Amino acid sequence: MALQLWETLKEAITVYTGLSPATFFAGLGLGLAIYYVLSALFGSSDRHHERTARGLQEEMQPMPPVQVGEISEEELKAYDGSDPKKPLFMAIKGQIYDVSQSRMFYGPGGPYALFAGKDASKALAKMSFEDKDLTGDISDLGPFELDALQDWEYKFMSKYVKVGTVKKTVPVTEGSSTGEPAAETDREVEKPAENDPSEHTANGTAESTSGADADKE
């Protein structure tokens, strides 16, 4: 029975393909080999691309916000994006926000990179890119600039996480130290009074007058 089936199959191969059974099976085997080779190549390539895409997604995921508390402006500069292992910070009106998710804008090479690691309140209010405006001092801003700054602050509050504040520096002015110099000044003022030449002159005149009256007597 099996032999009859084999003979029938060989006749069918010859009739329908025009090939001998040996040539047909050789071609079939070669086709299967090529199929497995291509499947292995493209399958591994797809898996490689999948792993690469997954790795890129993991790298692009923002780091969890790090609370830094109250830091100085000098310490804030360390978060300007120059160190990829650190988050990207920016401050508005003394409030520090983590802008790492917008690294393409505030990171190195971004259009607003010079604002990162600084309190750029004045620059944002004036939409200025000059170094002199990269400061948190907004005392000389006008009402329209203050309104613009308020809009920026609302935007940052709604989009980014606040992670700290900028430590305020108190300017040292003359006369703001202890009262000792003032006391010394008072003593210096009093000294000329003790050695006032007019007093000595008056005393000398009085003594001379007393001596003259004694001679007359």
Side-chain angles (χ1 to χ4, degrees):
M1 182 69 181
L3 184 59
Q4 290 179 350
L5 289 175
W6 172 245
E7 293 296 334
T8 302
L9 179 61
K10 289 195 296 183
E11 290 177 2
I13 290 173
T14 303
V15 171
Y16 289 105
T17 64
L19 302 173
S20 64
T23 305
F24 173 78
F25 285 112
L28 181 61
L30 180 62
L32 290 173
I34 294 174
Y35 170 77
Y36 284 117
V37 170
L38 292 177
S39 297
L41 288 175
F42 286 105
S44 61
S45 178
D46 291 340
R47 287 192 295 272
H48 174 71
H49 287 307
E50 184 179 353
R51 288 194 298 267
T52 304
R54 189 183 301 113
L56 289 175
Q57 289 178 355
E58 292 176 355
E59 291 179 0
M60 292 178 63
Q61 287 180 354
M63 294 179 290
V66 178
Q67 296 293 327
V68 293
E70 187 179 43
I71 61 176
S72 64
E73 292 184 353
E74 190 65 28
E75 292 172 322
L76 180 60
K77 293 178 182 179
Y79 300 92
D80 61 356
S82 56
D83 187 350
K85 296 181 180 180
K86 290 184 177 181
L88 190 63
F89 290 168
M90 181 177 163
I92 292 183
K93 296 171 69 174
Q95 308 302 308
I96 304 173
Y97 297 91
D98 187 335
V99 296
S100 300
Q101 67 186 73
S102 299
R103 190 173 290 270
M104 65 174 60
F105 294 105
Y106 300 104
Y112 303 112
L114 74 166
F115 296 159
K118 303 179 183 68
D119 187 330
S121 300
K122 190 173 184 179
L124 288 173
K126 300 175 66 176
M127 281 312 298
S128 169
F129 293 90
E130 298 184 15
D131 291 339
K132 65 182 181 66
D133 292 327
L134 295 175
T135 174
D137 182 8
I138 57 175
S139 58
D140 58 344
L141 294 181
F144 293 105
E145 293 169 334
L146 290 174
D147 288 341
L149 180 60
Q150 189 68 60
D151 291 339
W152 276 103
E153 185 178 19
Y154 286 149
K155 175 183 177 182
F156 272 64
M157 291 172 62
S158 62
K159 187 175 182 180
Y160 304 116
V161 178
K162 178 185 171 183
V163 294
T165 57
V166 179
K167 188 183 301 182
K168 295 182 179 180
T169 56
V170 179
V172 178
T173 57
E174 295 183 0
S176 62
S177 57
T178 61
E180 294 180 359
E184 292 178 359
T185 303
D186 293 340
R187 288 196 297 270
E188 291 175 358
V189 172
E190 292 172 357
K191 287 178 181 179
E194 295 175 358
N195 300 322
D196 191 350
S198 61
E199 183 179 349
H200 290 292
T201 303
N203 292 336
T205 304
E207 292 174 356
S208 299
T209 305
S210 300
D213 292 340
D215 293 340
K216 288 178 181 181
E217 292 175 357

